[in-house]
Amino acid sequence: MLKRVPERLGRIWPQSLLGRLMLVMAAGLLVTQLAASVIWASQLRAKAQVEAQSASQYMAHGASGAIRFFRSLPPNYRLLLIQQLREMGGTRFFVNLNHAYVPVQQIAPHPLASSVLATVGATLKSDLPHSPSFHLAFAWPEQLVVSEDGVHLSDLPDAWVQHILLLQPDPAPILVIQTEIEPGNWLYMAALMPNPYFLSSNDPLAWDRLSLQGLSLAVVLLLCLLVVRWITRPLAALSDAAAAFGQGQDDRAPPLPETGSREFINTARAFSAMRERIQRYIEDRERLFISISHDLRTPITRLKLRSELLDDEALRNEFEEDLDELDMMVKGALQCVKDSDIHENPAEVKLDALLGRLVRSARLAGHEVGYRDSSITVRAKPLALKRAIGNLLDNALYYGDRAEISVSSGPDVVAIAVRDHGPGVPDDAFASLFDPYVRLAHGREQNDAGMGLGLGIARSVIEAHGGQLVLENHPEGGLNATIRLPA
């Protein structure tokens, strides 16, 4: 299970620099927002707790004074006073008298509400130590019953409660205090906290707060996206220029713009200078090999003519063999330079036509080559691609009795496989197969005129197309050479 975690993370991790920077910045912003929200929420809760404790004590002292006042009145005057208070608009408390305790449907349990009830109860006990027990609860207005006969708060006239309690448009929880002031007479008091919405004021997940944080996060991410795109756009141009230069299309690639940050301007100038130096080096190398080949052919020809004048036939034959070997090495070096740098424009190449010509030529020479049409087209340099596949096919025919060519395509790659039915390649020989003039013993026996340059030339051509040449032994025997080109 733990081994799959890096693989899953690798799938989520973007491949582009823009995606990685955006993911890191978004994750950093989210973590920062989360940490800030947690700290802010803890401070908000602590502040709300302190304010609620202070408000609870204030409410409890007011309630204890009202209880003492109603307890001091004769029972006959209490109802008259309550009626007068209602007609005047009431006081802080909505007051009612009952002959028994009125059950109250409480709000859902809430830590802050429980703390307020505990503080109010403790303060009332402290102010009225000789009073019987107090029944405290928070209730919603639409569910609140105010009398023993089941009258709801909503059934009362608006003038009795509209200046005391909040019934609309956004009801607030109501604190209800009930106590028995004397046997058979219960005092019912209902009031709002100084902050009526104290339960929701400390909620960090309130919709208004979440919407504000989401809006700020979206603005920051948008600005980050614009900045990151502005930073990475020149890097994309640099990548395209490097890819075009590596595929031999430097003459078609526009020059890098020297705009943007100072670091990118320096990088663009350094890349342009490097590109010019490499281009001059390639041109100088080609001229050098041509000059060496031309200069060496004259003395080689002269030595061959002089060797014909030797009387000793054995010595003459040795001279001629050495001169032929030297001439072959010069021609091979020149061929390696020219064939790996074929100057032509890329075009749409139908593989069936190109491979069909190679297969027909091989069959006319008496070789057995298998191939099935694929109807696949690639964009490449036709002559260069033909030379690369031809070199692989020649090697397959030299090393094996017959060869097979297959073509397949995927979402991003076109694969051309050339397989021989020879003895294969030892594992320790794969590392040196692309080196110049390196040939296996079996190949030398089959083709003593070869120079060991075909694989190196083929790989150079394929890499110039942005592809890859992979050599591996086939499970059923023989060597399998696979050309992978961009689709």
Side-chain angles (χ1 to χ4, degrees), residues 162-300:
Q162 63 181 355
H163 302 297
I164 304 174
L165 307 176
L166 287 175
L167 303 183
Q168 55 183 356
D170 188 12
I174 298 174
L175 174 64
V176 179
I177 302 174
Q178 298 185 71
T179 183
E180 191 175 20
I181 55 178
E182 57 193 24
N185 289 323
W186 284 72
L187 184 64
Y188 182 104
M189 294 187 298
L192 295 174
M193 294 289 291
N195 177 12
Y197 304 103
F198 72 102
L199 292 181
S200 59
S201 62
N202 69 327
D203 184 11
L205 300 180
W207 173 249
D208 54 346
R209 296 192 178 98
L210 290 179
S211 59
L212 180 60
Q213 290 183 353
L215 179 61
S216 62
L217 180 62
V219 172
V220 173
L221 287 179
L222 179 60
L223 293 177
C224 291
L225 176 62
L226 296 177
V227 172
V228 172
R229 282 180 61 86
W230 176 69
I231 293 175
T232 56
R233 185 176 296 149
L235 296 179
L238 178 61
S239 175
D240 294 340
F245 181 66
Q247 297 178 6
Q249 303 175 5
D250 188 56
D251 54 339
R252 302 176 58 186
L256 283 176
E258 295 185 1
T259 58
S261 62
R262 180 179 58 186
E263 291 80 6
F264 176 76
I265 293 176
N266 295 335
T267 303
R269 291 174 179 173
F271 177 80
S272 300
M274 179 194 68
R275 181 168 56 183
E276 293 176 0
R277 287 196 301 269
I278 293 176
Q279 191 65 35
R280 287 197 302 269
Y281 166 75
I282 293 175
E283 294 174 355
D284 293 343
R285 185 194 66 168
E286 185 174 351
R287 286 194 296 267
L288 175 63
F289 271 87
I290 293 175
S291 300
I292 292 176
S293 176
H294 180 270
D295 294 342
L296 287 179
R297 283 184 178 181
T298 300
I300 290 174

Side-chain angles (χ1 to χ4, degrees), residues 80-371:
L80 179 61
L81 179 61
I82 292 174
Q83 186 65 29
Q84 291 177 350
L85 291 175
R86 291 173 179 176
E87 292 177 356
M88 294 170 54
T91 59
R92 168 175 289 275
F93 295 94
F94 168 80
V95 183
N96 195 24
L97 292 174
N98 296 301
H99 296 293
Y101 166 74
V102 178
V104 177
Q105 185 175 353
Q106 301 188 33
I107 64 174
H110 193 284
L112 191 58
S114 301
S115 175
V116 168
L117 293 178
T119 303
V120 171
T123 305
L124 289 175
K125 285 289 186 182
S126 176
D127 292 347
L128 303 171
H130 302 294
S131 296
S133 60
F134 298 94
H135 297 270
L136 309 175
F138 277 105
W140 294 110
E142 64 271 12
Q143 301 172 349
L144 183 59
V145 178
V146 297
S147 65
E148 55 190 322
D149 53 0
V151 177
H152 284 72
L153 185 64
S154 58
D155 299 330
L156 300 177
D158 292 340
W160 291 10
V161 295
Q162 63 181 355
H163 302 297
I164 304 174
L165 307 176
L166 287 175
L167 303 183
Q168 55 183 356
D170 188 12
I174 298 174
L175 174 64
V176 179
I177 302 174
Q178 298 185 71
T179 183
E180 191 175 20
I181 55 178
E182 57 193 24
N185 289 323
W186 284 72
L187 184 64
Y188 182 104
M189 294 187 298
L192 295 174
M193 294 289 291
N195 177 12
Y197 304 103
F198 72 102
L199 292 181
S200 59
S201 62
N202 69 327
D203 184 11
L205 300 180
W207 173 249
D208 54 346
R209 296 192 178 98
L210 290 179
S211 59
L212 180 60
Q213 290 183 353
L215 179 61
S216 62
L217 180 62
V219 172
V220 173
L221 287 179
L222 179 60
L223 293 177
C224 291
L225 176 62
L226 296 177
V227 172
V228 172
R229 282 180 61 86
W230 176 69
I231 293 175
T232 56
R233 185 176 296 149
L235 296 179
L238 178 61
S239 175
D240 294 340
F245 181 66
Q247 297 178 6
Q249 303 175 5
D250 188 56
D251 54 339
R252 302 176 58 186
L256 283 176
E258 295 185 1
T259 58
S261 62
R262 180 179 58 186
E263 291 80 6
F264 176 76
I265 293 176
N266 295 335
T267 303
R269 291 174 179 173
F271 177 80
S272 300
M274 179 194 68
R275 181 168 56 183
E276 293 176 0
R277 287 196 301 269
I278 293 176
Q279 191 65 35
R280 287 197 302 269
Y281 166 75
I282 293 175
E283 294 174 355
D284 293 343
R285 185 194 66 168
E286 185 174 351
R287 286 194 296 267
L288 175 63
F289 271 87
I290 293 175
S291 300
I292 292 176
S293 176
H294 180 270
D295 294 342
L296 287 179
R297 283 184 178 181
T298 300
I300 290 174
T301 304
R302 190 163 52 245
L303 288 174
K304 284 184 177 181
L305 294 175
R306 291 180 179 178
S307 65
E308 295 293 336
L309 302 177
L310 295 176
D311 296 333
D312 190 343
E313 183 177 356
L315 182 61
R316 183 172 64 249
N317 292 335
E318 291 180 359
F319 267 99
E320 290 178 353
E321 291 178 0
D322 292 339
L323 291 174
D324 290 339
E325 183 178 355
L326 181 60
D327 188 27
M328 183 180 298
M329 293 177 62
V330 172
K331 292 179 179 179
L334 184 60
Q335 181 187 15
C336 180
V337 174
K338 288 187 174 182
D339 287 349
S340 61
D341 190 23
I342 298 178
H343 299 283
E344 58 177 328
N345 294 326
E348 297 295 329
V349 179
K350 295 182 179 180
L351 293 179
D352 288 340
L354 186 146
L355 296 175
R357 287 193 294 269
L358 292 175
V359 171
R360 285 194 296 271
S361 299
R363 289 174 179 174
L364 289 175
H367 298 291
E368 183 180 350
V369 181
Y371 174 70

